[in-house]
Amino acid sequence: MRLSTRRFYYVYIILNRTQQAWYSGITADINATASNAGVSGVTSLLYLEVYSDTSAAIAREQEISRMSDRKKTALVRSKNPELRDITGQVS
């Protein structure tokens, strides 16, 4: 009997140290991504969406990456009005 291991894909938005640039991305290991964010000059994980379908996650990340900073800010504020770092809430 083969056990099914369900894999999840995370679309995220992070903000750089100077709070001047938004970055979006996709990962299968959000814990590693969140842990490495500080090392690469990014301090805040602000937004996260979870997908079980790779294609849907990729399409969404591409959609977000094409957004203006104004639209990204509105999207993040829709779920995180205080723009608080949610790294500690990721499990």
Side-chain angles (χ1 to χ4, degrees):
M1 175 183 209
R2 184 176 179 167
L3 294 177
S4 173
T5 55
R6 191 162 199 192
R7 190 165 181 110
F8 293 99
Y9 304 92
Y10 302 87
V11 175
Y12 60 87
I13 299 175
I14 52 181
L15 189 60
N16 75 343
R17 228 175 266 261
T18 60
Q19 298 185 349
Q20 298 294 316
W22 298 96
Y23 298 98
S24 63
I26 182 172
T27 184
D29 188 350
I30 193 61
N31 291 313
T33 301
S35 296
N36 292 329
V39 175
S40 63
V42 178
T43 57
S44 301
L45 172 64
L46 300 176
Y47 184 83
L48 195 61
E49 294 179 5
V50 183
Y51 292 86
S52 59
D53 177 62
T54 311
S55 297
I58 291 169
R60 179 62 170 151
E61 193 282 326
Q62 289 174 343
E63 179 182 8
I64 290 172
S65 70
R66 288 190 299 265
M67 289 180 178
S68 66
D69 284 350
R70 178 182 234 170
K71 286 186 178 183
K72 287 178 190 171
T73 301
L75 177 62
V76 170
R77 285 191 184 274
S78 73
K79 290 189 178 180
N80 185 358
E82 302 294 322
L83 298 180
R84 291 196 175 128
D85 186 359
I86 61 170
T87 302
Q89 299 171 20
V90 174
S91 57

